[in-house]
Amino acid sequence: MPDIALPAVFAALSDPIRLAIVERLLREGEQSAGAIAEPFAVSKPAISKHLRVLEHAGLIERRVERQWRVCRIRPEAIRAVDDWMTRYRAFWEGSFERLDALLADYQDNDRSEDHP
């Protein structure tokens, strides 16, 4: 199994078809490659290429079940993205709180200057 490298994960998810595949697998669970290909207006070899990119990025894993190739999400990849997002969410929330405080101070100062 490949390690989770966030640049590869985000590069893989930057394609709308690959993002839709991941969203569908998250929503509906594991599926065959044929079922994954159904809603897309691209060739099966193109879908296969998209699945390879997702697999190399560590987002999905594929296994053979009789004559089908079944794909599923690797939860650890989604966890790695969530961990990264959580760190930056905390940063942005703190930044917005500081901005709110600065704006409140500015408004208070502006009001006190209007009413001597």
Side-chain angles (χ1 to χ4, degrees), residues 3-10 57:
D3 290 329
I4 307 304
L6 285 175
V9 168
F10 287 125

Side-chain angles (χ1 to χ4, degrees), residues 43-54:
S43 68
K44 288 189 181 193
I47 291 295
S48 187
K49 193 178 214 180
H50 284 301
L51 293 174
R52 264 193 312 282
V53 170
L54 291 170

Side-chain angles (χ1 to χ4, degrees), residues 49-75:
K49 193 178 214 180
H50 284 301
L51 293 174
R52 264 193 312 282
V53 170
L54 291 170
E55 186 176 29
H56 288 298
L59 281 159
I60 67 167
E61 60 186 14
R62 296 191 284 180
R63 65 177 169 38
V64 176
E65 187 174 295
R66 293 187 294 254
Q67 70 268 29
W68 297 285
R69 304 243 181 307
V70 179
C71 302
R72 75 175 191 95
I73 291 291
R74 289 187 61 218

